Amino acid sequence: MTRPRILVLGSDGQVGFQIMRTLAPLGEITGSRLDGAAGLKIDVTDHASLERVLVALRPKLIVNAVAYTAVDRAEEEPKLATAINATAVGVLGAVAARIGAAVVHYSTDYVYSGVTDRPWREDDTAAPVNAYGRSKLAGDEALLASGADALILRTSWVYDRRGRNFLLTMRRLLAERDEVRVVADQIGAPTWARLIAQGTALILAQTAVDGFRLGDRRGVYNLTCGGATSWHGFAEAIRDFSGARCKVIPVATAEYPLPAPRPPDSRLDNARVEATFGVRLPDWHDALRLCLEEGG
Ligand SMILES: NC(=O)c1ccc[n+]([C@@H]2O[C@H](COP(=O)([O-])OP(=O)(O)OC[C@H]3O[C@@H](n4cnc5c(N)ncnc54)[C@H](OP(=O)(O)O)[C@@H]3O)[C@@H](O)[C@H]2O)c1
């Protein structure tokens, strides 16, 4: 029996890298990177070549881990953020619908305003407060409107042992400094890229025998680690696990102005993904320990 082809777009990003290593039991994986190293070179803003590759490969499943993730820079480059995070996603969805490929796409807690007294549910009104969030929301809408058989997984505060992320930045600062000041009035759930990939694989394993068709399970699902903390709490946990002596001083968002505003409370409610697929990621603190226990 021939194994289904799976195309992973953005295979060198935090999530894409882990997806490449996690979905292998489900099919023949082809990765794509912007720089073309060790895989196909695809710039998703080049719609003609994106379409050409999809039509030529005819994957059964496309995992889109490509994104413009520079939240502050997006305020100055909203057109580029929208081209990558929204327009290309709509094109991808339309071609996927035509060739009969299922799509997994990732979205963000930053589609919500952050003003809430409970974790956000998938059908709560999205009202992003920055350009990155607006571009990601437009991508979700474009994919849903494309008619593709699509799963949109909204996650948050992604980190890994490689890439650009808070964990690696904080480990460096904690080693170099006597004290660091970290925002304590924004809360969310730090989520290890490995667990996003594992959660994705466990969901997809349930659809694999049907050629990854999602049918009435298509749509938007939150997928983050459990519990919640602030960036300050996350930094303290990194400090405690690493044994550094650096002081972690809580500061207010107003004391640490950045170009892009952030939602103050972006906790996501993960009940839907658990009820539909039986998948629940571990608590953020346990996940951080698992990640750091790998050493290095
Ligand atoms: N990072 C977070 O904290 C966070 C939080 C919530 C949700 N998410 C979502 O989770 C998903 C994965 O994020 P991540 O953290 O894994 O992102 P990431 O590490 O920034 O990786 C994004 C990937 O997209 C590639 N890319 C960018 N522009 C491209 C283009 N025009 N054509 C082709 N590839 C392009 C990048 O390639 P280069 O490296 O070569 O530029 C990189 O490999 C995204 O949908 C993101 O919005 C992330």
Side-chain angles (χ1 to χ4, degrees), residues 180-199:
V180 289
R181 298 158 70 77
V182 187
V183 168
D185 56 359
Q186 290 168 30
I187 59 170
T191 302
W192 183 17
R194 168 86 57 80
L195 290 168
I196 298 170
Q198 287 177 339

Side-chain angles (χ1 to χ4, degrees), residues 12-14 67-70 73 158-169:
D12 198 37
Q14 298 190 88
Y68 180 110
T69 53
R73 197 150 27 95
V158 179
Y159 66 88
D160 202 348
R161 303 184 65 93
R162 56 184 291 289
R164 280 184 299 272
N165 59 63
F166 185 86
L167 169 65
L168 297 184
T169 304

Side-chain angles (χ1 to χ4, degrees), residues 109 112 114 116-121 156 187-189 222 224 227-229 264-270:
D109 53 332
Y112 298 107
T116 182
D117 55 7
R118 59 159 173 78
W120 296 94
R121 297 185 193 127
S156 65
I187 59 170
N222 296 333
T224 70
T229 188
D265 182 345
S266 66
R267 291 169 298 150
L268 301 184
D269 182 329
N270 291 292

